[in-house]
C-alpha cells in the first residue's frame, strides 16, 4: 500500500517563524528596511515642478496614497501629489483639468512595464505635453519594456526589484520616490518600518501579536470569513484601501490541497460608517472580525463652540468639547458596544501620533501579518494568478475588436 | 399537547408581492414617486449662493452624493455641492478651507433632529458665519428639536416624513432639495424612479427580475454571504457607498426566529479594483456573488492617441481606441473571466446613458430589491436597533467625562 497526501499538517508558530526567516532571503520586501536612500533623496531634491503626478494603478499607487493622505495635513508639503489610475475618461479629464501640466513631474510606475491603464494614460499625457527627461521619471523592473522606453529617451529610471511584489512595494522606490519629492521624510518611514521588522525578527511584541492574530484568523476562517478594518479618522481611508489590496490579493488563493482560501477585507471609516455598516456588524450574521484603529493625538484642537441653538438645548453637553476628543469617544463607544455583545472578535490598534514612523510601522506590521497568515494557510502570498485570464481576454477583445 | 413555533414557512413570490403591496400603505418611500415638487423647485430657484453645503451623515447624504457624483460631469451645474459629514477635525477644516462661507447656503439634514455629528458641525459653522434664514435651511421630521430650532429662528424647513427611513430618503426633500438647487432636474429623477415603481407594481420586467434575484440571494445566503457590486465607472463610487448602507443596515437583522441574518455588501470600482480585489473573487472562497454595472454611453470620446513610445511598441494596438470603449471592454473581459469559472453567480446591469432617469431608476430598483429580500428573510428592513447601544454609551461617556 501507498499513501500520498499533502493535507495541511498542523503548523507551529515556530515553524512559521522559520519559514518566514527562510523566505526573507528571496522575498524582497523584508529587506527594504535596510535600504540606502541617498539616490532617491538626491533625485527628489532636484525636482523643481510644483505638481507631482503618479501614473500607475494598484500596488503602484495605493501605498503611496495611504501614506500621503495620512500625513499631508500635518506636514508643510510644498508640492501636491496626484494620481492617475483609471481608464475612466471622466476621471482622467476632471483630474487633469486642475493641474498645470507645464509645471508637473510625471512619475510613471508599472512593475511589469506594460500595464495597460498606465501606458494608455501616459500616451494621452504625451499628446498634451512633451514628456522627456526634464519632466518624467520611470519606476519599473530593470528588464521591462517601460525601462527600454526610459533608456531610449534618456529618462531617469528607478528599479522595482523583481522579488518585490506590487502590493508589497510601498517601501521601495514606488512609494519612497514620490513621497520624498513632496517632502515626506523617507528615512523616518524606513525607521518606522524597521522598528516593526526588528521587533518581529527579534521575537518581541510584534512577533507575539502577529502570530497570535494570524493563527486566530486562519483557525476561524470558516466562521469569520470577513475582516473589517474600522478606522476612526478620514486620513486613514487610503490605508484602508491599501489594506484591502494587500489582504485580498495575497490571501485569496488556492492552497497546496487545491482548496480555495481567502479572507475578505472590508475597510470602513468612523464615525461615518456607524451610520452605514455598524448595524450589520452588530445584528447580522457572526461572520466578521473587527479591528478598530484610533489616532490618539490628532494634533488638532478644533472645538465644538459654545453656541446656543434654541430648540436644540438638550445637546448643549457637547459644547466646548474638542472634535478629536469626540471622535475618539465615538470609537470607544463603538468598541464597548461591540465587546458587550460577547461574540464578535474585536481588537484595537491605537496610533500614538501622526508621523512617518507610526504609519510606516503600521503598514509594515500589516505586511508581516499577511505573510504569516499565508504560511498558516499554505498559500503563496506573493503571486496573483487569478487576474491573468481577464488580461488575456481583454487583449484578444482589443486586438480583434470583438 | 401544544405546538408553538414561527419557523419561517416557505413564502411564495405571490405572498411577497402581496406583503409589499400592503407595506406600501405605511412605509413611506414607495409613494415618494408620486410627489408634488413645486415647493422644492420654488425654494431651489430662490437660492443665490454659489456653494451649497449639506451638513448631515449616513442617509442624509449618501443618496444625494450618489446622484450628484453620477451626473455632475455631464451637466452644466452652476453651483457646487459639498458635504460635511464626519467629526474628524482634519476633514472639517480641509473641506471648509476651500469654500467661501459668505457665499454658501447651509442645508442641515437630520431625520431625528439630534444627530450628534450634524449638530456639532452646525454649531461650529455658527461660530464662523451667522446662520439665519438667508443662508440656512433645515430638513428634518416635523416634531424634531431641529425643527424647533428652525421655527424659533424663522428658518425654512422641509419635512422628512416619519415613515421614510434615512437610507430610503433620497427621493424625499433630503435628496431632491440639494439636487434641485444645484440644477439637477428632480422631476426627471422622479420620472425614472416611477418607471421602476410602475414596472414592479404592474408585475412587469422589474418585478420578475427583482423577485428572482432576491430569492436567489436569500436561498443561497449561507453559501454566498457577500455581495460584490463591481461598478465600471468612477462616477458610480457614490452609488456604491449608498448601496452599502442600504443593503447593510436594512438586511443585517435578527429575524422572527431570533436568527441572525445579513448579506454583506462590498462596492468596488473597475478597472482600479481589478488590481486589488479581483484576485480574491477569482481564486478565493466561493462566498461572493458579483454584480457588474456598466455605463453604455459615457458621452465622452477621449481617445488614446497614436503616440509612438519607443520600447513600448507592443502596446500599439491600443492606439486610437476611446477610453470609454477600453473601460467597457475591461468590464466585458472581467465578466467573461468570471463566467468562465462556472461557479460564481454573476449578473450584469448596463446603464444606457448618463441621465437623471437612469440613475433614479437604478436606485429605486435597489430599494425595491432590498425590501423584497427583507420579506424573504422575515426581517424588518426599516429599523436599525443595532446602533442604539453605541449612542447611549457615547452620551454617557461625554456627559460623565469617563
Amino acid at each position: 500500500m501507498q499513501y500520498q497526501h499533502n493535507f495541511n499538517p498542523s503548523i507551529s508558530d515556530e515553524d512559521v517563524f522559520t519559514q518566514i526567516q527562510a523566505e526573507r532571503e528571496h522575498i524582497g520586501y523584508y529587506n527594504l528596511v535596510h535600504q540606502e536612500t541617498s539616490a532617491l533623496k538626491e533625485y527628489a531634491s532636484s525636482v523643481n515642478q510644483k505638481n507631482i503626478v503618479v501614473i500607475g494603478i494598484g500596488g503602484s499607487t495605493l501605498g503611496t496614497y495611504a501614506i500621503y493622505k495620512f500625513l499631508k495635513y500635518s506636514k508643510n508639503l510644498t508640492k501636491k501629489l496626484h494620481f492617475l489610475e483609471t481608464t475612466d475618461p471622466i476621471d482622467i479629464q476632471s483630474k487633469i483639468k486642475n493641474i498645470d501640466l507645464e509645471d508637473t513631474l510625471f512619475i510613471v510606475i508599472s512593475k511589469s512595464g506594460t500595464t495597460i491603464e498606465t501606458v494608455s494614460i501616459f500616451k494621452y499625457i504625451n499628446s498634451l505635453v512633451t514628456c522627456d527627461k526634464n519632466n518624467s521619471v520611470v519606476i519599473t523592473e530593470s528588464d521591462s519594456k517601460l525601462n527600454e522606453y526610459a533608456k531610449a529617451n534618456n529618462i531617469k529610471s528607478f528599479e522595482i526589484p523583481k522579488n518585490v511584489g506590487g502590493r508589497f512595494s510601498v517601501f521601495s522606490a514606488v512609494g519612497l520616490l514620490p513621497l520624498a519629492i513632496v517632502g515626506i521624510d523617507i528615512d523616518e518611514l524606513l525607521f518606522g518600518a524597521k522598528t516593526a521588522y526588528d521587533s518581529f525578527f527579534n521575537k518581541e511584541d510584534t512577533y507575539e501579536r502577529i502570530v497570535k492574530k494570524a493563527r486566530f484568523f486562519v483557525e476561524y476562517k470558516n466562521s469569520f470569513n470577513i475582516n473589517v478594518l474600522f478606522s476612526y479618522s478620514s486620513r486613514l481611508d487610503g490605508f484602508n484601501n491599501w489594506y484591502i489590496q494587500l489582504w485580498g490579493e495575497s490571501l485569496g488563493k488556492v492552497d497546496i490541497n487545491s482548496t480555495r482560501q481567502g479572507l475578505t477585507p472590508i475597510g470602513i471609516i468612523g464615525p461615518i460608517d456607524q451610520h452605514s455598516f455598524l448595524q450589520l456588524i452588530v445584528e447580522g450574521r457572526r461572520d466578521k472580525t473587527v479591528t478598530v484603529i484610533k489616532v490618539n493625538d490628532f494634533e488638532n484642537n478644533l472645538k465644538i463652540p459654545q453656541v446656543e441653538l434654541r430648540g436644540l438645548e438638550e445637546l448643549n453637553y457637547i459644547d466646548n468639547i474638542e472634535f478629536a476628543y469626540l471622535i475618539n469617544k465615538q470609537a470607544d463607544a463603538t468598541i464597548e458596544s461591540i465587546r458587550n455583545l460577547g461574540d464578535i472578535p474585536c481588537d484595537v490598534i491605537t496610533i500614538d501620533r501622526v508621523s512617518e514612523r507610526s504609519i510606516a510601522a503600521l503598514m509594515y506590521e500589516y505586511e508581516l501579518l499577511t505573510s504569516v497568515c499565508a504560511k498558516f494557510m499554505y498559500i503563496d502570498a506573493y503571486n496573483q494568478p487569478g487576474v491573468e485570464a481577464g488580461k488575456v481576454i481583454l487583449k484578444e477583445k482589443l486586438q480583434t475588436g470583438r
Side-chain angles (χ1 to χ4, degrees), chain A residues 277-323:
Chain A
F277 203 86
L278 184 58
Q279 165 68 30
L280 176 64
I281 294 173
V282 170
E283 289 220 309
R285 267 185 63 183
R286 290 297 181 253
D287 51 14
K288 298 175 186 66
T289 65
V290 180
T291 298
V292 178
I293 303 190
K294 289 174 62 181
V295 178
N296 204 27
D297 185 354
F298 271 73
E299 292 172 30
N300 183 299
N301 54 13
L302 190 72
K303 261 188 182 173
I304 302 168
Q306 189 163 354
V307 167
E308 185 78 19
L309 299 177
R310 253 198 298 164
L312 281 162
E313 293 85 354
E314 77 170 52
L315 275 163
N316 281 353
Y317 68 89
I318 59 174
D319 289 359
N320 297 314
I321 286 177
E322 289 186 2
F323 278 100

Short mmCIF file of all heavy atoms in Angstrom, two decimals, chain A residues 277-323:
data_model
loop_
_atom_site.label_atom_id
_atom_site.label_comp_id
_atom_site.label_asym_id
_atom_site.label_seq_id
_atom_site.Cartn_x
_atom_site.Cartn_y
_atom_site.Cartn_z
N PHE A 277 -22.62 50.80 8.17
CA PHE A 277 -22.22 49.39 8.20
C PHE A 277 -22.36 48.78 9.60
O PHE A 277 -22.40 47.57 9.76
CB PHE A 277 -20.76 49.31 7.74
CG PHE A 277 -20.38 47.96 7.20
CD1 PHE A 277 -20.59 47.63 5.87
CD2 PHE A 277 -19.81 47.00 8.02
CE1 PHE A 277 -20.25 46.39 5.36
CE2 PHE A 277 -19.45 45.76 7.52
CZ PHE A 277 -19.68 45.45 6.19
N LEU A 278 -22.41 49.63 10.63
CA LEU A 278 -22.36 49.14 12.01
C LEU A 278 -23.55 48.23 12.36
O LEU A 278 -23.39 47.22 13.05
CB LEU A 278 -22.28 50.32 12.99
CG LEU A 278 -22.12 49.97 14.47
CD1 LEU A 278 -20.88 49.13 14.72
CD2 LEU A 278 -22.09 51.23 15.32
N GLN A 279 -24.73 48.60 11.87
CA GLN A 279 -25.92 47.78 12.12
C GLN A 279 -25.69 46.32 11.68
O GLN A 279 -26.06 45.39 12.39
CB GLN A 279 -27.11 48.40 11.37
CG GLN A 279 -28.33 47.49 11.21
CD GLN A 279 -29.05 47.21 12.53
OE1 GLN A 279 -29.04 48.02 13.45
NE2 GLN A 279 -29.65 46.04 12.64
N LEU A 280 -25.07 46.16 10.54
CA LEU A 280 -24.80 44.81 10.01
C LEU A 280 -23.82 44.06 10.91
O LEU A 280 -23.98 42.87 11.17
CB LEU A 280 -24.25 44.91 8.59
CG LEU A 280 -23.82 43.61 7.90
CD1 LEU A 280 -25.01 42.67 7.71
CD2 LEU A 280 -23.16 43.90 6.56
N ILE A 281 -22.80 44.77 11.40
CA ILE A 281 -21.84 44.13 12.32
C ILE A 281 -22.55 43.67 13.58
O ILE A 281 -22.38 42.54 14.04
CB ILE A 281 -20.70 45.12 12.69
CG1 ILE A 281 -19.85 45.43 11.45
CG2 ILE A 281 -19.83 44.55 13.81
CD1 ILE A 281 -18.81 46.52 11.68
N VAL A 282 -23.38 44.54 14.14
CA VAL A 282 -23.97 44.30 15.46
C VAL A 282 -25.07 43.25 15.42
O VAL A 282 -25.13 42.36 16.27
CB VAL A 282 -24.51 45.62 16.05
CG1 VAL A 282 -25.35 45.37 17.29
CG2 VAL A 282 -23.35 46.56 16.37
N GLU A 283 -25.95 43.33 14.43
CA GLU A 283 -27.10 42.41 14.42
C GLU A 283 -27.01 41.32 13.37
O GLU A 283 -27.79 40.37 13.42
CB GLU A 283 -28.40 43.20 14.21
CG GLU A 283 -28.80 44.04 15.41
CD GLU A 283 -30.30 43.99 15.63
OE1 GLU A 283 -31.04 44.23 14.66
OE2 GLU A 283 -30.73 43.69 16.76
N GLY A 284 -26.12 41.48 12.40
CA GLY A 284 -26.07 40.50 11.30
C GLY A 284 -25.37 39.21 11.70
O GLY A 284 -25.00 39.01 12.87
N ARG A 285 -25.20 38.37 10.72
CA ARG A 285 -24.53 37.08 10.93
C ARG A 285 -23.15 37.28 11.55
O ARG A 285 -22.45 38.23 11.24
CB ARG A 285 -24.34 36.37 9.59
CG ARG A 285 -25.44 35.43 9.25
CD ARG A 285 -25.12 34.68 7.97
NE ARG A 285 -23.93 33.84 8.10
CZ ARG A 285 -23.41 33.15 7.08
NH1 ARG A 285 -23.96 33.23 5.89
NH2 ARG A 285 -22.34 32.41 7.25
N ARG A 286 -22.76 36.35 12.36
CA ARG A 286 -21.45 36.43 13.01
C ARG A 286 -20.38 35.87 12.08
O ARG A 286 -19.82 34.80 12.29
CB ARG A 286 -21.48 35.66 14.33
CG ARG A 286 -22.34 36.32 15.39
CD ARG A 286 -21.77 37.69 15.76
NE ARG A 286 -22.57 38.36 16.80
CZ ARG A 286 -23.37 39.39 16.57
NH1 ARG A 286 -23.52 39.90 15.35
NH2 ARG A 286 -24.04 39.94 17.57
N ASP A 287 -20.12 36.64 11.00
CA ASP A 287 -19.11 36.21 10.04
C ASP A 287 -17.97 37.21 9.92
O ASP A 287 -17.18 37.17 8.99
CB ASP A 287 -19.75 35.94 8.66
CG ASP A 287 -20.62 37.09 8.16
OD1 ASP A 287 -20.51 38.20 8.74
OD2 ASP A 287 -21.38 36.90 7.20
N LYS A 288 -17.89 38.15 10.90
CA LYS A 288 -16.91 39.23 10.79
C LYS A 288 -16.06 39.37 12.05
O LYS A 288 -16.58 39.30 13.16
CB LYS A 288 -17.63 40.57 10.56
CG LYS A 288 -18.42 40.63 9.27
CD LYS A 288 -19.20 41.92 9.15
CE LYS A 288 -20.09 41.88 7.91
NZ LYS A 288 -21.17 40.87 8.00
N THR A 289 -14.77 39.63 11.85
CA THR A 289 -13.95 40.16 12.93
C THR A 289 -13.84 41.67 12.70
O THR A 289 -14.01 42.14 11.57
CB THR A 289 -12.53 39.57 12.92
OG1 THR A 289 -11.87 39.98 11.71
CG2 THR A 289 -12.55 38.05 12.99
N VAL A 290 -13.55 42.40 13.76
CA VAL A 290 -13.45 43.85 13.65
C VAL A 290 -12.14 44.34 14.28
O VAL A 290 -11.84 43.99 15.42
CB VAL A 290 -14.63 44.56 14.38
CG1 VAL A 290 -14.51 46.07 14.26
CG2 VAL A 290 -15.97 44.10 13.81
N THR A 291 -11.38 45.09 13.50
CA THR A 291 -10.20 45.76 14.04
C THR A 291 -10.44 47.26 14.00
O THR A 291 -10.64 47.83 12.92
CB THR A 291 -8.95 45.42 13.18
OG1 THR A 291 -8.71 44.01 13.23
CG2 THR A 291 -7.72 46.17 13.70
N VAL A 292 -10.47 47.88 15.16
CA VAL A 292 -10.68 49.33 15.22
C VAL A 292 -9.32 50.02 15.28
O VAL A 292 -8.44 49.61 16.05
CB VAL A 292 -11.52 49.73 16.46
CG1 VAL A 292 -11.69 51.24 16.52
CG2 VAL A 292 -12.88 49.05 16.41
N ILE A 293 -9.13 51.03 14.44
CA ILE A 293 -7.90 51.83 14.50
C ILE A 293 -8.24 53.23 14.97
O ILE A 293 -9.13 53.89 14.42
CB ILE A 293 -7.19 51.89 13.13
CG1 ILE A 293 -6.89 50.47 12.64
CG2 ILE A 293 -5.90 52.69 13.23
CD1 ILE A 293 -5.98 50.42 11.42
N LYS A 294 -7.55 53.67 16.01
CA LYS A 294 -7.74 55.02 16.55
C LYS A 294 -6.46 55.83 16.40
O LYS A 294 -5.37 55.26 16.37
CB LYS A 294 -8.04 54.94 18.06
CG LYS A 294 -9.38 54.40 18.43
CD LYS A 294 -9.48 54.25 19.94
CE LYS A 294 -9.34 55.59 20.68
NZ LYS A 294 -9.42 55.40 22.15
N VAL A 295 -6.61 57.13 16.33
CA VAL A 295 -5.45 58.02 16.36
C VAL A 295 -5.50 58.76 17.69
O VAL A 295 -6.44 59.51 17.95
CB VAL A 295 -5.47 59.03 15.19
CG1 VAL A 295 -4.28 59.97 15.28
CG2 VAL A 295 -5.48 58.31 13.85
N ASN A 296 -4.50 58.52 18.51
CA ASN A 296 -4.54 59.09 19.86
C ASN A 296 -4.46 60.61 19.83
O ASN A 296 -5.30 61.30 20.40
CB ASN A 296 -3.39 58.52 20.68
CG ASN A 296 -3.67 58.58 22.16
OD1 ASN A 296 -4.83 58.56 22.57
ND2 ASN A 296 -2.62 58.67 22.95
N ASP A 297 -3.46 61.13 19.13
CA ASP A 297 -3.26 62.58 19.10
C ASP A 297 -3.49 63.09 17.68
O ASP A 297 -2.69 62.86 16.79
CB ASP A 297 -1.84 62.91 19.55
CG ASP A 297 -1.62 64.41 19.65
OD1 ASP A 297 -2.52 65.18 19.28
OD2 ASP A 297 -0.52 64.80 20.12
N PHE A 298 -4.61 63.78 17.48
CA PHE A 298 -4.92 64.33 16.15
C PHE A 298 -4.08 65.57 15.85
O PHE A 298 -4.15 66.11 14.75
CB PHE A 298 -6.41 64.70 16.06
CG PHE A 298 -7.29 63.58 15.58
CD1 PHE A 298 -7.57 62.50 16.41
CD2 PHE A 298 -7.84 63.59 14.32
CE1 PHE A 298 -8.39 61.46 15.97
CE2 PHE A 298 -8.65 62.56 13.86
CZ PHE A 298 -8.93 61.49 14.69
N GLU A 299 -3.33 66.06 16.84
CA GLU A 299 -2.59 67.33 16.67
C GLU A 299 -3.51 68.42 16.16
O GLU A 299 -3.20 69.14 15.21
CB GLU A 299 -1.40 67.14 15.71
CG GLU A 299 -0.32 66.24 16.29
CD GLU A 299 0.75 65.89 15.28
OE1 GLU A 299 1.00 66.71 14.39
OE2 GLU A 299 1.35 64.80 15.40
N ASN A 300 -4.66 68.50 16.77
CA ASN A 300 -5.67 69.45 16.31
C ASN A 300 -6.59 69.74 17.48
O ASN A 300 -7.09 68.82 18.12
CB ASN A 300 -6.46 68.82 15.15
CG ASN A 300 -7.47 69.80 14.57
OD1 ASN A 300 -8.39 70.25 15.25
ND2 ASN A 300 -7.30 70.13 13.31
N ASN A 301 -6.80 71.01 17.78
CA ASN A 301 -7.65 71.33 18.93
C ASN A 301 -8.95 72.03 18.55
O ASN A 301 -9.52 72.77 19.33
CB ASN A 301 -6.88 72.13 19.98
CG ASN A 301 -6.25 73.37 19.36
OD1 ASN A 301 -6.59 73.74 18.23
ND2 ASN A 301 -5.35 74.00 20.08
N LEU A 302 -9.41 71.78 17.34
CA LEU A 302 -10.68 72.35 16.91
C LEU A 302 -11.79 71.93 17.88
O LEU A 302 -11.94 70.76 18.20
CB LEU A 302 -11.02 71.86 15.49
CG LEU A 302 -12.19 72.56 14.81
CD1 LEU A 302 -11.80 73.98 14.41
CD2 LEU A 302 -12.63 71.77 13.58
N LYS A 303 -12.55 72.95 18.35
CA LYS A 303 -13.57 72.69 19.36
C LYS A 303 -14.98 72.87 18.82
O LYS A 303 -15.21 73.67 17.92
CB LYS A 303 -13.40 73.70 20.50
CG LYS A 303 -12.67 73.17 21.69
CD LYS A 303 -12.72 74.16 22.84
CE LYS A 303 -11.91 73.61 24.00
NZ LYS A 303 -11.78 74.57 25.09
N ILE A 304 -15.91 72.16 19.42
CA ILE A 304 -17.32 72.49 19.23
C ILE A 304 -17.56 73.73 20.09
O ILE A 304 -17.39 73.68 21.31
CB ILE A 304 -18.23 71.34 19.68
CG1 ILE A 304 -17.89 70.07 18.90
CG2 ILE A 304 -19.70 71.73 19.50
CD1 ILE A 304 -18.52 68.82 19.47
N PRO A 305 -17.92 74.85 19.48
CA PRO A 305 -18.03 76.07 20.27
C PRO A 305 -19.28 76.07 21.15
O PRO A 305 -20.20 75.29 20.94
CB PRO A 305 -18.14 77.15 19.19
CG PRO A 305 -18.75 76.47 18.02
CD PRO A 305 -18.27 75.05 18.06
N GLN A 306 -19.28 76.94 22.12
CA GLN A 306 -20.46 77.09 22.97
C GLN A 306 -21.45 77.99 22.25
O GLN A 306 -21.47 79.21 22.47
CB GLN A 306 -20.05 77.68 24.32
CG GLN A 306 -21.17 77.66 25.33
CD GLN A 306 -20.65 77.84 26.73
OE1 GLN A 306 -19.44 77.87 26.96
NE2 GLN A 306 -21.55 77.98 27.69
N VAL A 307 -22.23 77.38 21.37
CA VAL A 307 -23.20 78.15 20.59
C VAL A 307 -24.58 77.68 21.01
O VAL A 307 -24.86 76.49 21.01
CB VAL A 307 -23.00 77.90 19.08
CG1 VAL A 307 -24.18 78.42 18.29
CG2 VAL A 307 -21.70 78.54 18.59
N GLU A 308 -25.41 78.63 21.41
CA GLU A 308 -26.76 78.28 21.85
C GLU A 308 -27.67 78.19 20.62
O GLU A 308 -27.86 79.16 19.90
CB GLU A 308 -27.26 79.40 22.80
CG GLU A 308 -28.59 79.14 23.44
CD GLU A 308 -28.51 78.16 24.61
OE1 GLU A 308 -27.40 77.97 25.15
OE2 GLU A 308 -29.56 77.59 24.95
N LEU A 309 -28.19 76.99 20.36
CA LEU A 309 -29.17 76.85 19.27
C LEU A 309 -30.53 76.60 19.92
O LEU A 309 -30.77 75.52 20.48
CB LEU A 309 -28.78 75.69 18.35
CG LEU A 309 -27.42 75.78 17.62
CD1 LEU A 309 -27.17 74.52 16.80
CD2 LEU A 309 -27.34 77.01 16.73
N ARG A 310 -31.39 77.59 19.85
CA ARG A 310 -32.69 77.48 20.52
C ARG A 310 -33.46 76.28 19.98
O ARG A 310 -33.58 76.12 18.78
CB ARG A 310 -33.52 78.77 20.30
CG ARG A 310 -33.59 79.62 21.57
CD ARG A 310 -34.72 80.61 21.51
NE ARG A 310 -34.51 81.55 20.38
CZ ARG A 310 -35.48 82.32 19.90
NH1 ARG A 310 -36.72 82.26 20.40
NH2 ARG A 310 -35.22 83.16 18.91
N GLY A 311 -33.97 75.45 20.85
CA GLY A 311 -34.65 74.23 20.44
C GLY A 311 -33.76 73.01 20.60
O GLY A 311 -34.22 71.91 20.87
N LEU A 312 -32.45 73.24 20.45
CA LEU A 312 -31.50 72.11 20.50
C LEU A 312 -30.70 72.10 21.80
O LEU A 312 -29.61 71.53 21.86
CB LEU A 312 -30.55 72.17 19.30
CG LEU A 312 -31.14 71.65 17.97
CD1 LEU A 312 -30.33 72.12 16.78
CD2 LEU A 312 -31.24 70.12 17.96
N GLU A 313 -31.27 72.73 22.84
CA GLU A 313 -30.53 72.85 24.10
C GLU A 313 -30.12 71.51 24.68
O GLU A 313 -29.14 71.41 25.41
CB GLU A 313 -31.35 73.63 25.15
CG GLU A 313 -31.57 75.10 24.83
CD GLU A 313 -32.78 75.35 23.93
OE1 GLU A 313 -33.37 74.36 23.44
OE2 GLU A 313 -33.10 76.52 23.68
N GLU A 314 -30.89 70.45 24.39
CA GLU A 314 -30.57 69.15 25.01
C GLU A 314 -29.20 68.63 24.56
O GLU A 314 -28.65 67.73 25.17
CB GLU A 314 -31.67 68.14 24.75
CG GLU A 314 -31.66 67.54 23.35
CD GLU A 314 -32.62 66.34 23.21
OE1 GLU A 314 -33.80 66.48 23.56
OE2 GLU A 314 -32.16 65.29 22.74
N LEU A 315 -28.65 69.23 23.49
CA LEU A 315 -27.32 68.80 23.04
C LEU A 315 -26.22 69.72 23.56
O LEU A 315 -25.07 69.62 23.11
CB LEU A 315 -27.28 68.71 21.52
CG LEU A 315 -27.78 67.38 20.94
CD1 LEU A 315 -28.09 67.52 19.46
CD2 LEU A 315 -26.74 66.28 21.15
N ASN A 316 -26.54 70.59 24.50
CA ASN A 316 -25.51 71.52 24.98
C ASN A 316 -24.34 70.80 25.66
O ASN A 316 -23.28 71.39 25.86
CB ASN A 316 -26.13 72.53 25.96
CG ASN A 316 -26.87 73.64 25.20
OD1 ASN A 316 -26.79 73.71 23.96
ND2 ASN A 316 -27.58 74.48 25.93
N TYR A 317 -24.54 69.55 26.03
CA TYR A 317 -23.44 68.82 26.69
C TYR A 317 -22.23 68.61 25.78
O TYR A 317 -21.16 68.24 26.24
CB TYR A 317 -23.93 67.50 27.30
CG TYR A 317 -24.34 66.44 26.30
CD1 TYR A 317 -23.41 65.53 25.80
CD2 TYR A 317 -25.67 66.33 25.88
CE1 TYR A 317 -23.79 64.56 24.89
CE2 TYR A 317 -26.05 65.35 24.96
CZ TYR A 317 -25.10 64.47 24.47
OH TYR A 317 -25.48 63.51 23.57
N ILE A 318 -22.41 68.84 24.47
CA ILE A 318 -21.25 68.69 23.58
C ILE A 318 -20.45 69.98 23.44
O ILE A 318 -19.38 69.99 22.84
CB ILE A 318 -21.64 68.17 22.17
CG1 ILE A 318 -22.65 69.11 21.49
CG2 ILE A 318 -22.19 66.75 22.24
CD1 ILE A 318 -22.97 68.73 20.04
N ASP A 319 -20.95 71.08 24.00
CA ASP A 319 -20.24 72.36 23.87
C ASP A 319 -18.85 72.27 24.51
O ASP A 319 -18.65 71.62 25.54
CB ASP A 319 -21.04 73.48 24.56
CG ASP A 319 -22.30 73.83 23.78
OD1 ASP A 319 -22.54 73.21 22.72
OD2 ASP A 319 -23.05 74.70 24.25
N ASN A 320 -17.92 72.96 23.88
CA ASN A 320 -16.54 73.06 24.38
C ASN A 320 -15.75 71.76 24.33
O ASN A 320 -14.65 71.67 24.87
CB ASN A 320 -16.53 73.60 25.82
CG ASN A 320 -17.08 75.00 25.89
OD1 ASN A 320 -16.73 75.85 25.06
ND2 ASN A 320 -17.98 75.25 26.83
N ILE A 321 -16.31 70.75 23.69
CA ILE A 321 -15.58 69.51 23.51
C ILE A 321 -14.76 69.62 22.22
O ILE A 321 -15.22 70.16 21.23
CB ILE A 321 -16.57 68.31 23.42
CG1 ILE A 321 -17.13 68.00 24.80
CG2 ILE A 321 -15.90 67.08 22.82
CD1 ILE A 321 -18.16 66.88 24.79
N GLU A 322 -13.53 69.12 22.25
CA GLU A 322 -12.75 69.10 21.02
C GLU A 322 -13.27 68.00 20.09
O GLU A 322 -13.63 66.92 20.55
CB GLU A 322 -11.27 68.85 21.32
CG GLU A 322 -10.60 70.04 21.97
CD GLU A 322 -9.09 69.85 22.13
OE1 GLU A 322 -8.57 68.80 21.71
OE2 GLU A 322 -8.45 70.76 22.68
N PHE A 323 -13.27 68.29 18.79
CA PHE A 323 -13.70 67.28 17.82
C PHE A 323 -12.86 66.01 17.93
O PHE A 323 -13.37 64.89 17.82
CB PHE A 323 -13.64 67.83 16.39
CG PHE A 323 -14.84 68.67 16.01
CD1 PHE A 323 -14.78 70.06 16.03
CD2 PHE A 323 -16.03 68.07 15.63
CE1 PHE A 323 -15.88 70.83 15.68
CE2 PHE A 323 -17.15 68.83 15.28
CZ PHE A 323 -17.07 70.21 15.30
#
